[in-house]
Amino acid sequence: MNHPLRELLDGTGPFLLLPDAVLLPEGPAEGMAVVVADGSFAAVGDAAQVQLTHPHLDPIRLPGHLLMPGFVDAHHHLTQTFGSALAYGEPSEIFRRVWVPLEGALDEESAYTSAKLAALEALRGGFTTVTDAGNRTGVDVDVVARAARDAGIRCVLGLVCDDVEPGDVGPGGPGPGGAQREEEHLARYEGDALVHASLAVSIPEAATTATLRRTARLAAEAGAIVQIHVNEHLAGVERSLVRHGLRPLEHLHDIGALGPHLLAAHATLLTPRELTLLADTGTAVSYNPVASAWKGNAVAPAATMAERGIRFGLGTDGTRGDGFRLAEAAEFAQRLAYGLAIGDSSCGAGWTWLEHATRGGADAVGLGARTGTIAAGLAADFLLVDVTNPELALSWDLPWELVRRGNRDQISAVFVAGRLRLWRGLPTGWDGPALVRRAAGLARAAVERAPITRAHPTSTTARARSAAR
């Protein structure tokens, strides 16, 4: 690698970087320098002043590059990567027909490979943090933790705590575990540099009221989060109304499960009252715009959430690991679903979606005090973005241009915890292409043995059927 960054491959600093600009919460700033040491930002400030206070460090100049926070994926399923393409054209609630059967067909090797493949895709797309909502593979959740560590990505790792038996109203899970299992999981990753424990419930109806209350309490006490898919599908909302007389989010509020510890995934079907409940309780949301488009769900009213101060991040839901395309989808979905009808030509502006893809996402997943911003004392999770390309070189409003014209191929480097994890699309220290080849073989075997039911044929089959009509 013929570049000054080659000296950073084997160490965690200290080193001093001089990019053309640094993306701060208030916008891009020129003439800045950052110092990285022991996995964190030791200094961020005026270049001349930082160099003066760190005379022992030789500056590494990065002409033509923007240094910006890494993206935070607020909602992912790392062990579903083998079936990502199976979601195309499918109606909602595919977890019952695709994801549960697929995860049940994974052994330890395939679960590890799936998770590491997802981490590689995320790094290539500029994500430095992924939030895994738990899995139903039956293997030890530490397999996913090991895959994240080996890939070099930060991971909020969910433990599924469902206790309603498969075949009842829930989507299934590992069965009852009780408080001891949940407490052990929360304690298991204390002090881990990259893995942060969380609890998860697939959907509110997949857990008893006692479990929903207990996971909320345990997470709040541990400073962790509980991840729950909430108000995602009409069918789920209707089942909750029949069963409780309340919508899912209302039911969680009724039993005392809402609060800053809760991350509500999707939240696409919200009434005005439910928006008020989110705002009043400090509950966070993962806004997953690509998942809405791919699975035919409604689009969460994220622009309204931003205006009302509701905490939210952006999530891929395992659709595609590209941070720039996710930010664009977040804005574009708001424009199509809400903005066009009322003549809103801004739809939050570019900075809104960058904010919630980085700092807002870190806050939503419980890591706001650790990552998401270029600031002294926070983890050095950041990207170096080439801004000399045709899409970004003629810049008039960089936040908008990053949202509308940013792409993963503009990312030169990805750093997590101060270490260079990806250089020009390839991981450092391990063989990414070899992993992809291995995953291809394991994925074919897993999909063949999984009892997956799809409602939509492949594109080739659909075309043939259409021609035959």
Side-chain angles (χ1 to χ4, degrees), residues 22 24 32-35 41-47 50 54 67 373-377:
V22 176
L24 301 175
M32 301 283 288
V34 303
V35 175
F41 293 115
V44 177
D46 175 76
V50 170
H54 296 80
L67 190 153
T373 310
I374 309 299

Side-chain angles (χ1 to χ4, degrees), residues 411-431:
I411 300 171
S412 296
V414 178
F415 286 76
V416 181
R419 295 190 60 180
L420 180 62
R421 309 290 185 168
L422 196 87
W423 174 253
R424 292 179 175 166
L426 291 174
T428 59
W430 57 279
D431 191 337

Side-chain angles (χ1 to χ4, degrees), residues 286-330:
S286 176
Y287 166 39
N288 310 323
V290 182
S292 288
W294 285 14
K295 296 190 293 183
N297 297 329
V299 175
T304 299
M305 292 180 192
E307 179 64 25
R308 297 193 59 176
I310 294 170
R311 301 165 56 232
F312 72 91
L314 309 185
T316 65
D317 198 22
T319 50
R320 62 185 180 216
D322 190 321
F324 286 119
R325 292 189 71 184
L326 178 64
E328 186 209 15

Side-chain angles (χ1 to χ4, degrees), residues 2-186:
N2 186 22
H3 192 278
L5 287 175
R6 66 182 181 274
E7 65 190 73
L8 307 181
L9 274 172
D10 299 322
T12 58
F15 51 87
L16 191 157
L17 301 179
L18 293 174
D20 276 2
V22 176
L23 187 62
L24 301 175
E26 55 269 27
E30 298 179 352
M32 301 283 288
V34 303
V35 175
V36 175
D38 298 323
S40 299
F41 293 115
V44 177
D46 175 76
Q49 183 62 33
V50 170
Q51 290 180 84
L52 185 65
T53 55
H54 296 80
H56 58 293
L57 297 179
D58 293 328
I60 299 175
R61 300 185 183 278
L62 301 166
H65 279 84
L66 169 75
L67 190 153
M68 64 173 285
F71 293 111
V72 175
D73 187 343
H75 185 63
H76 204 313
H77 295 272
L78 298 178
T79 53
Q80 293 180 0
T81 308
F82 288 175
S84 293
L86 297 175
Y88 304 154
E90 288 295 297
S92 64
E93 290 205 329
I94 61 172
F95 64 85
R96 298 176 184 274
R97 296 177 288 102
V98 177
W99 301 132
V100 172
L102 175 61
E103 286 185 312
L106 301 182
D107 57 16
E108 184 170 319
E109 181 186 11
S110 55
Y112 171 88
T113 304
S114 174
K116 192 172 183 182
L117 181 68
L120 173 58
E121 182 185 357
L123 287 169
R124 282 169 42 81
F127 291 102
T128 53
T129 298
V130 290
T131 307
D132 181 73
N135 69 83
R136 309 172 193 88
T137 61
V139 304
D140 188 344
V141 71
D142 196 56
V143 169
V144 177
R146 181 161 52 89
R149 283 196 214 96
D150 291 350
I153 199 166
R154 192 175 301 282
C155 179
V156 178
L157 181 62
L159 175 74
V160 174
C161 304
D162 300 358
D163 60 352
V164 173
E165 291 296 324
D168 198 344
V169 295
Q180 181 177 350
R181 176 171 170 267
E182 294 153 10
E183 290 170 351
E184 288 173 351
H185 177 74
L186 292 172

Side-chain angles (χ1 to χ4, degrees), residues 358-399:
T358 54
R359 183 170 64 163
D363 171 63
V365 305
L367 298 182
R370 185 182 295 263
T371 188
T373 310
I374 309 299
L378 295 189
D381 300 345
F382 64 96
L383 314 177
L384 295 176
V385 179
D386 182 353
V387 292
T388 66
N389 52 76
E391 296 82 11
L392 299 177
L394 305 181
S395 177
W396 305 105
D397 186 339
L398 187 57

Side-chain angles (χ1 to χ4, degrees), residues 321-342:
D322 190 321
F324 286 119
R325 292 189 71 184
L326 178 64
E328 186 209 15
E331 186 271 336
F332 197 51
Q334 293 302 296
R335 185 175 298 274
L336 290 180
Y338 305 105
L340 291 180
I342 59 174

Side-chain angles (χ1 to χ4, degrees), residues 212-284:
L212 291 170
R213 286 174 172 158
R214 183 180 68 245
T215 54
R217 174 180 58 80
L218 290 174
E221 291 173 353
I225 62 168
V226 180
Q227 305 178 58
I228 309 181
H229 297 74
V230 180
N231 288 48
E232 182 184 4
H233 302 296
L234 282 170
V237 172
E238 291 167 354
R239 285 193 299 268
S240 182
L241 285 167
V242 170
R243 191 176 190 188
H244 303 291
L246 297 167
R247 297 162 65 86
L249 191 72
E250 292 174 330
H251 172 57
L252 291 174
H253 179 258
D254 188 59
I255 65 174
L258 296 189
H261 58 275
L262 180 65
L263 177 63
H266 298 284
T268 58
L269 304 166
L270 298 176
T271 63
R273 178 173 185 270
E274 287 172 311
L275 285 166
T276 297
L277 291 178
L278 291 172
D280 289 350
T281 60
T283 300

